[in-house]
Amino acid sequence: MNVRRLYIITAAAAVLFSGCVRVVIDRPDPEGPETTGDVIDFGISVTPGTKGMINENDFNKAGNQLHVYDFLSYNANEVKYIDNTITATTVESAIKWQFPDNKEYEWTRTGAHKFFGWFAFDANSDLEPSSIFGEDPAMDDTEKILTIPSTGMLTMNFSTPQFDFLYSDIIKRTMDGQTSSHLPVDLEMNHLFSAISIGAENFLKGDITINSVTIQGLYNTQKADVDFSGDETAITYTKSETRGKFITTPNVTLKQDETLANILTSDSEHTTPFLIWPQEADDLVPNAEYYVNESGECVTGGDNNPLIIITYSIGSGADAFQCTIPLPIPAGAWQAGVHNHISIAFADKVISAKVVVLPWDYTETDIDFEEGTLSIHDGNELSVQDANCYKDLVNKKIYLTNTLPIKCNFWLDTPRGSTWMVTKLCDIDAFEIIDGSGTIDGSQAEFQIRPMVSGDIARDYILKLHFSVRLPDGRSVDADNPVLGTNKEYDYSFIIQKK
């Protein structure tokens, strides 16, 4: 399962515990292990977010709440030791996660603790699970399965309250007397939902007004079961039998060469992601023919066919045109914890849509949608670090001096959201490429080359590199020119020399 993770950060400074009122917690029934006097602690650090979309920084907010569980196993018994809500509270300028009425649960001397939880209140947006689901999730204590929503399913659209529901991983601690770990419990939170945003670009010679955009054929009615019964959290999504639509009527006008990051708010600089149930890749592929018939009517193959339908007008004309295009599908479809930005491009005789996968907390529109345009960050063509190699740059030869890998760097500026890839040429079995692909995201790329042969070898082994970029629309383009230099001045030969 590919999910985007969010880390709860501990803040266990001793000052946070000063002045805390100790509340004695009864031992589990039947009578459980003796307690140690050490408190089970959770910690978090967060900053305000927007629209309830939670990222790595947004948990640092006083008032945020997490519902946590601790199932304690001992002597073939299992009891629910903790079933309570912790709240982020400011204590002496720091954040401490506290139970109601300053309750404190103590570590036991023996037995095994199993911790997990889910996001109960977002102080950034003043929303809670019932805001989006209409009810709190339901926990089956016996099966340890959290059902979301607790009854029925949730249908999502652009007006759905934006509560970014999170569920945790599982932390286990086995107690063996005084040597057991009593460090704070650090849970990792996973996103339940995916997210989309919609922008537009106008390459026409004149203004264009977007009247409506419909994304149809989505499984936007679903439910989920989060299974905490094993050693790792598992999630199962259940889709409704019918598909639905996301509809917006922005009536927004774009001037020639203008780009909007968000057509719903006419914002040229900031995307606005909207939560959506994850969609599988196969579910986003059109399964029926779509066309404009002789009467000018758009035939979509039915509402269940996954397509984007755009109604627009050109200039000051009153006539409205309608265009139907397939959904752009990134690798991995619309996964949980992934923000897919759809940009609709209006050009002469063609309207197209592209998708760029953005970080969950992405806000700026620093996205390059040019057709295959590759640009290198100034002075950042392929370079090789000095460790574990000898460099003959005059002859463009890199000699690997031992069995350890060497590090290489380059920096492509555009097209953002695309994927760079390194391919081996020549003696490909004698070398291994480590981390040979990544996203063009405005930062330097790094990969490693490891020799796979050593010792008494009969000849030199030589590796050459080829670079390519896979664009958001699925096409691949040659990237040797920018990465290796226009005159191939950085086209190195990597050599393992015979002894």
Side-chain angles (χ1 to χ4, degrees), residues 16 190 263 319 352 475:
L16 298 183
N190 305 309
I263 63 173
D319 293 338
S352 60
R475 293 181 298 117

Side-chain angles (χ1 to χ4, degrees), residues 144-155:
K144 297 184 183 62
I145 292 179
L146 186 71
T147 301
I148 316 165
S150 59
T151 59
M153 294 187 173
L154 169 66
T155 299

Side-chain angles (χ1 to χ4, degrees), residues 186-389:
D186 299 341
L187 296 175
E188 290 182 9
M189 306 302 292
N190 305 309
H191 292 277
L192 177 70
F193 297 116
S194 182
I196 59 172
S197 57
I198 304 176
E201 301 172 285
N202 180 17
F203 298 115
L204 295 173
K205 296 179 180 179
D207 297 350
I208 187 169
T209 299
I210 303 175
N211 306 118
S212 68
V213 176
T214 298
I215 303 178
Q216 70 165 39
L218 301 180
Y219 283 106
N220 61 333
T221 300
Q222 298 189 37
K223 62 176 292 187
D225 289 323
V226 185
D227 188 346
F228 297 105
S229 63
D231 293 332
E232 296 181 356
T233 305
I235 185 167
T236 301
Y237 293 94
T238 301
K239 300 178 291 190
S240 66
E241 295 182 357
T242 58
R243 305 186 187 217
K245 300 179 179 180
F246 274 66
I247 303 174
T248 179
T249 54
N251 292 316
V252 61
T253 299
L254 284 78
K255 298 184 180 299
Q256 180 179 346
D257 296 325
E258 184 179 6
T259 296
L260 290 181
N262 178 17
I263 63 173
L264 280 70
T265 60
S266 302
D267 193 327
S268 61
E269 296 184 356
H270 301 87
T271 61
T272 302
F274 286 85
L275 297 171
I276 184 173
W277 286 107
Q279 307 287 310
E280 296 179 15
D282 292 344
D283 293 335
L284 298 176
V285 179
N287 52 25
E289 185 178 4
Y290 55 94
Y291 58 93
V292 176
N293 62 22
E294 295 179 355
S295 302
E297 299 171 329
C298 182
V299 179
T300 65
D303 290 348
N304 285 335
N305 206 20
L307 300 166
I308 300 177
I309 303 173
I310 306 157
T311 303
Y312 64 98
S313 57
I314 300 174
S316 57
D319 293 338
F321 302 92
Q322 191 175 88
C323 177
T324 299
I325 54 179
L327 280 169
I329 304 173
W334 292 353
Q335 298 174 341
V338 173
H339 170 191
N340 297 291
H341 180 70
I342 300 170
S343 182
I344 302 169
F346 294 84
D348 187 27
K349 298 181 181 180
V350 63
I351 298 176
S352 60
K354 302 176 185 179
V355 67
V356 175
V357 177
L358 302 179
W360 194 255
D361 55 353
Y362 191 88
T363 55
E364 299 299 320
T365 60
D366 191 8
I367 308 168
D368 190 298
F369 290 102
E370 292 296 323
E371 292 288 343
T373 299
L374 304 181
S375 62
I376 202 80
H377 196 77
D378 186 32
N380 282 267
E381 293 86 356
L382 180 65
S383 65
V384 182
Q385 298 183 17
D386 291 334
N388 306 319
C389 68

